[in-house]
Structures are given as C-alpha cells and as structure tokens.
Amino acid sequence: MASDTLTSSEYIKHHLTHLTYGRFPDGHWGFGGNAEEIEAMGFMAIHVDSMFWSISLGIFFLWLFRTVAKNATAGVPGNLQNFVEISVEFVDDNIRSVFGEQNNPLIAPLSLTILIWVFLMNLMDLVPVDWIPLLSGLMGIHYMKVVSTADPNVTMGMSISIFFLVLYYSIRVKGPIGFLKEISLHPIPIKAAIPLNMVLESVTLLSKPLSQGLRLFGNMYAGELIFILIALLPFYLQWTLALPWAIFHILIISLQAFVFMILTIVYITQAHKTEDH
Amino acid sequence: MTINLTIFGQAISFAVFVLFCMKFVWPLITEVMRERQKVIAEGLEKANQAERQLEQSSDAAAEELQQAKLKGADLIAQADKRAKQIIEEAKEKAIEEGERLKAAAQAVIDQDVNRAREELRAQVGILAIKGAGRILETTVDIKVHQEMLDKMAAEL
C-alpha cells in the first residue's frame, strides 16, 4: 500500500533498504539515515534487521528444539515432540540416503539447523509485507526487511561457511596431497593438463557456495519483490494476487530450505569421497 | 545487492547455532528416538513370544485331551471286559450249582427208589409166605423156609 507521500518506486526502494549500522565516510559509526548514506558505507556496515531476524529465529528454533529434547520421552510423544522427531527423522533419512553411514558427528545437526532455520527465515516472507515495517516505523525504526534469506549476506554467509567446511573435510579425509591431486589431475588425468585442470576444478569448487547461496537469495528476493509489487495494488484487489502467490510461496520456502540442506549434504558427501572416477 | 559485514555476522551465528544444535539438541532427540525404537522392538518381541507360548500351550492342551480320551476309551473297554468276565463267571457258577442241585435231587430220588424197593421186597416175602401158607394149608415155618424166601426176594 503506497502512502500518499511516497511514489511507487520510492515505496519499493524503501522496502528493499536494510536497517544498516556502519561507518560513515567521515569515520564515525551510526545508523544509515537513507539509501545514499548506506551505500557510502561500503563494506564496513552491518544489516541490523537481517541479523536481528536471523538470530531471533535461530534462537527460537534452538529454544523450541531444546525444550522438546529436554522433555522428550521414549513413550508416547506429544504433538510438538512428534513434529521435532519428524524433522529429525526427515533430516536423518536424507543424510542416510546421500551421505551413507559414515561417521560424522557434524553433518546431521548441521543439516537440521539449516533446514529449520532457513525455513523459519523464509517463513517471514509470508507475513504481510507492510505489517512489521509499519510496527517498527511506529517505534521509530524506518527501515526493516524481515526476510533474512532475501539478504545475500545471510545466504552467502551460510554457503561460504559450508564451503570452508567442505574444504576442511576434503583435506582431512584425503590429506593435503590427495586434495591437491584431486583438483590437479581431474577431469583430465595427465600431467600436461594440470594448469587447465586446476582452473576447471577451482571454478567447480567456487561455483558451489556461490550457486548455493545465490539460489536461496534469488528465490526469496524475487518472492519478496512480488509481494511488494502486489502491495502496490489498491487494497481491495491485493488478495486476488497475494493469496495465490502466498499459497505458491509456501511450496517455495519449504523447497528452498530443503534444497539448501540437500546441497550441503551433497557437498560434504563429495568432500568425503576418496576416489571419484 | 551489497556485501558487507553482515556476511561475517551470519557466518558466526550460523557456527554458534550449529554447534549448539550438535551439543544440546541432536543427541538428546536421537537418543530418545533410539530408546523408543528399543521399547517397540522389545514389545514386538514379547508379543511374538506370547504368541509362541499360546501356540505351545494349546498344542499341549490338545495332546492332554487326546490322551484323556484314549484313557477313557481304555477304561471303558476294560470295564466292558470285566463285566463280560463277571457275567461269564456267574453263568458258570449257576450251571455248576444247577448240576450240583440236580445231582443231589438224583441222589435223593435214588435213595427213595432203593428204600421203596427194599420195602417192596420185604412185603413180597411176607406176601409169598402167606400165599404159600394158604396154598399148602400148612404153616410154613419161617425159619425153615427163610433161605428160599431170601432167594426169591433177591430175584425180585
């Protein structure tokens, strides 16, 4: 809903601007008052809204699961425990089918955290786009993006962490020499092709976190943008588009959380494979 | 699309959440699930055992019943045999008794016949003497003719 003082493009731009705390060009730190100021901060800035929602939802997820885990009984489980166990079993099944039975204490909780956390962050997309920004506006905060996964920093932050994890496991499982061999003698197993192989394998390696992070970001950003565009319609027409899109979006947010988790499992599995010819 | 410090913030919170999940969430839940699996497995095992036991005891009961039937049949056959035996024995005894009674009666009859014959013989002697006395018109001395009379009596 565009208010009288804003044009459509201003409204959209406003909705796509993060609440940012950072270093101004003159050296002092503070919240950016408008888009230009924020842009001038460059790298030395942090999206407070993304971090707030991401951490709050992460804590909510851990609190919920921890509460259930502490009160869990081996007898007949309650509804919440059932839900938690279904999630855990779902993650466990996927790991079993992709990763197999290898011993790795990290991959399962990592996947569970990704699945639920990303899902919760995506879920914020279904809250009508104006509600939370309006509330925060009333509290004096003028920029508020609630969908953390529509922030490339958030998705790339996760995918790059996973990338380092993949590097760590590659080196630990295959040894530094084995890892070097893998990226230098693959896909063409002759010595003359080593430089070419290294270029090709580096691209393969680096494209993984990039595609993983950008896929989630792209989907959520596009979804949010469409909700913002729908919100520009007169209020009595909005539901005709917002409702079908929201229903469709339920599928997208679950699917993207699932894809992000599956890719993580696949990448870590690849890091564990000693010979792949 | 701007990349800034948020990427580190997210990476750090990601690491913290994953570690927390690994230490305090995942093991507890999987532990409970494993425990329940064990409970269910034990329950199923027990149910199987109970079923087997039921089968066994019903088999045993059927066998017992079979044996009882055989025993009953045996007893009936024995009783039957014994009854026949008793009847047979009673018959034999009765026949024996009859024979004995018959023999006794025969003896009594024989005795009676003999006595009658003796009496008759004595009477005939006397009658003969009387008749002879009348024929001869003389008294026959019983002592003189005793020998002849005895001879006659013996001939009867």
Side-chain angles (χ1 to χ4, degrees), chain A residues 14 17-20 31-33 48-49 52-53 131-145:
Chain A
H14 179 262
T17 307
H18 282 282
L19 176 66
T20 312
F31 283 99
V48 178
D49 47 2
F52 172 77
W53 288 108
W131 283 11
I132 294 173
L134 193 72
L135 270 177
S136 64
L138 290 177
M139 290 190 293
I141 302 164
H142 294 292
Y143 296 110
M144 180 55 74
K145 278 187 71 174

Side-chain angles (χ1 to χ4, degrees), chain A residues 43 45-47 51 54 58 62 65-66 72-75 81 84-85 106 108-109 113 117 152-154 157-158 161, chain B residues 1-11 13-14 17-18 20-22 24-26 28-30 32-33 35-36 39:
Chain A
F43 186 75
I46 191 156
H47 293 156
M51 288 315 301
S54 133
L62 288 174
F65 274 55
R66 170 80 181 152
T73 129
Q81 194 186 337
V84 166
E85 284 184 8
L106 182 65
T113 310
W117 193 23
N153 290 291
V154 168
M158 293 170 84
S161 305
Chain B
M1 176 175 156
T2 49
I3 293 293
N4 56 25
L5 287 176
T6 314
I7 202 167
F8 293 117
Q10 178 68 13
S13 40
F14 183 44
F17 289 155
V18 169
F20 185 90
C21 182
M22 188 167 99
F24 303 111
V25 176
W26 184 269
L28 293 177
I29 294 170
T30 49
V32 164
M33 285 167 77
E35 221 169 284
R36 178 165 330 105
V39 168

Side-chain angles (χ1 to χ4, degrees), chain A residues 54-117:
Chain A
S54 133
I55 291 174
S56 308
L57 291 168
I59 288 172
F60 171 71
F61 148 63
L62 288 174
W63 167 80
L64 184 73
F65 274 55
R66 170 80 181 152
T67 313
V68 170
K70 270 200 299 199
N71 301 324
T73 129
V76 180
N79 288 337
L80 202 58
Q81 194 186 337
N82 245 338
F83 162 73
V84 166
E85 284 184 8
I86 286 168
S87 321
V88 166
E89 210 161 11
F90 177 71
V91 170
D92 211 35
D93 280 349
N94 277 301
I95 290 171
R96 218 160 285 221
S97 66
V98 178
F99 186 69
E101 300 285 348
Q102 305 170 67
N103 183 33
N104 186 325
L106 182 65
I107 185 165
L110 174 75
S111 307
L112 179 70
T113 310
I114 288 171
L115 181 70
I116 306 294
W117 193 23

Side-chain angles (χ1 to χ4, degrees), chain B residues 4 17 22 24 47 52 54 56 72 76 94 110 112 122 138 150:
Chain B
N4 56 25
F17 289 155
M22 188 167 99
F24 303 111
R52 268 202 301 278
L54 181 68
Q56 272 171 3
I76 289 171
D110 283 356
D112 281 356
T138 56
D150 284 348

Side-chain angles (χ1 to χ4, degrees), chain A residues 118-238:
Chain A
V118 170
F119 176 77
L120 287 174
M121 289 194 281
N122 290 351
L123 193 62
M124 298 306 290
D125 216 357
L126 292 181
V127 179
V129 281
D130 274 319
W131 283 11
I132 294 173
L134 193 72
L135 270 177
S136 64
L138 290 177
M139 290 190 293
I141 302 164
H142 294 292
Y143 296 110
M144 180 55 74
K145 278 187 71 174
V146 295
V147 188
S148 300
T149 39
D151 180 351
N153 290 291
V154 168
T155 61
M156 291 307 291
M158 293 170 84
S159 67
I160 287 173
S161 305
I162 291 160
F163 173 67
F164 281 116
L165 214 55
V166 167
L167 284 185
Y168 166 73
Y169 279 121
S170 290
I171 293 169
R172 209 185 72 167
V173 171
K174 298 159 189 158
I177 309 288
F179 179 59
L180 274 179
K181 261 189 193 163
E182 192 187 73
I183 59 171
S184 56
L185 295 175
H186 206 248
I188 310 167
I190 52 172
K191 283 213 168 97
I194 285 177
L196 179 66
N197 282 343
M198 294 221 20
V199 171
L200 286 174
E201 281 296 299
S202 304
V203 170
T204 310
L205 212 58
L206 291 173
S207 68
K208 282 175 186 171
L210 207 64
S211 69
Q212 190 186 15
L214 290 184
R215 177 180 293 113
L216 180 58
F217 159 69
N219 274 285
M220 289 306 111
Y221 189 79
E224 199 194 13
L225 200 62
I226 287 171
F227 276 122
I228 294 168
L229 291 176
I230 290 169
L232 287 170
L233 290 170
F235 72 91
Y236 50 87
L237 279 178
Q238 283 179 18

